Amino acid sequence: MKNAYLIERWRSLSQKVVFVAKRFSILSVDYLRPGNEFYKDVCVKQEPDGVGIFAITKKREVVMVRHFRPGPEKILLELPAGDVDKDEDPAIAAERELLEETGYRGKESLAVGSSFRDAYSTGVFFSVVITECVLEEIPKGRKRHPSLREIVLVPLGEFRQMLRSQQMTNSEAGLRGLDYLNLL
């Protein structure tokens, strides 16, 4: 692949916050594209970096969480995930999120890759592998609201099939975890 790009960077002319939520905000950005073409009201989501966690037990079971998800309006299995605090190492964030969401703690945490959350987001999504996970404590949220989430241990073979099913979230972290551990 050549290093010279034919594509040119767009120039941001103005931006304004049009929506603010607890975890993110939406900007409306006006751009000047190559050829002096104006491109108005591009929505960009300002959000924190995130982490998806491929957590696996000594018995080769993947630690997952079953939640209701408002976007697809379905109950889905997903890998534990969460936000990375400002200036926090993604592996440390993953350990914190795994314990908070599932009560599991692992032996080793390692960030194995990252990507932008999507083309219209400022956030980066890190994939972290945590090995030899064991249940340490019942998450506090489960005591208060047991109907909000269910912790599920999925055998490795079944997890590989789930990745192909399009019925889970955080698939990227799962694929990166399997690849890193040579389990694809």
Side-chain angles (χ1 to χ4, degrees):
M1 187 161 98
K2 294 182 179 181
N3 288 334
Y5 296 107
L6 298 175
I7 304 296
E8 295 178 31
R9 185 182 172 113
W10 301 0
R11 194 174 86 204
S12 174
L13 300 174
S14 67
Q15 55 182 271
K16 63 182 174 188
V17 176
V18 294
F19 178 78
V20 176
K22 182 179 178 183
R23 294 181 50 247
F24 66 90
S25 59
I26 303 291
L27 298 176
S28 175
V29 184
D30 294 338
Y31 286 99
L32 181 64
R33 298 196 303 191
N36 288 326
E37 179 185 0
F38 290 99
Y39 195 56
K40 297 181 71 60
D41 296 320
V42 177
C43 288
V44 175
K45 188 175 175 184
Q46 280 189 313
E47 61 187 326
D49 292 342
V51 62
I53 306 148
F54 181 78
I56 190 164
T57 68
K58 291 179 185 180
K59 294 180 181 180
R60 295 170 64 113
E61 297 168 310
V62 180
V63 180
M64 299 189 75
V65 182
R66 189 182 326 268
H67 291 279
F68 173 78
R69 288 303 181 216
E73 292 193 339
K74 291 183 177 185
I75 295 172
L76 297 173
L77 270 174
E78 64 185 11
L79 293 172
D83 291 338
V84 177
D85 294 337
K86 189 172 172 44
D87 299 322
E88 184 179 30
D89 181 274
I92 301 298
E95 291 171 3
R96 174 179 47 75
E97 288 290 342
L98 180 65
L99 187 61
E100 285 175 9
E101 283 193 23
T102 69
Y104 277 81
R105 187 182 301 274
K107 179 180 178 186
E108 178 185 13
S109 304
L110 184 65
V112 296
S114 65
S115 61
F116 292 104
R117 285 187 183 253
D118 65 60
Y120 293 87
S121 171
T122 62
V124 173
F125 189 75
F126 295 91
S127 298
V128 174
V129 171
I130 302 181
T131 58
E132 299 185 34
C133 294
V134 294
L135 184 61
E136 187 162 290
E137 64 183 55
I138 296 173
K140 292 176 184 152
R142 286 191 66 211
K143 292 176 189 170
R144 279 195 331 265
H145 302 289
S147 62
L148 292 180
R149 81 177 130 216
E150 174 187 1
I151 293 26
V152 180
L153 298 179
V154 177
L156 191 56
E158 189 178 325
F159 178 75
R160 284 192 204 104
Q161 292 173 341
M162 289 176 63
L163 283 173
R164 296 181 190 98
S165 74
Q166 299 179 353
Q167 293 300 309
M168 64 175 282
T169 63
N170 303 336
S171 299
E172 182 178 333
L175 287 169
R176 283 196 170 135
L178 289 173
D179 182 52
Y180 176 77
L181 296 172
N182 294 313
L183 296 173
L184 277 175

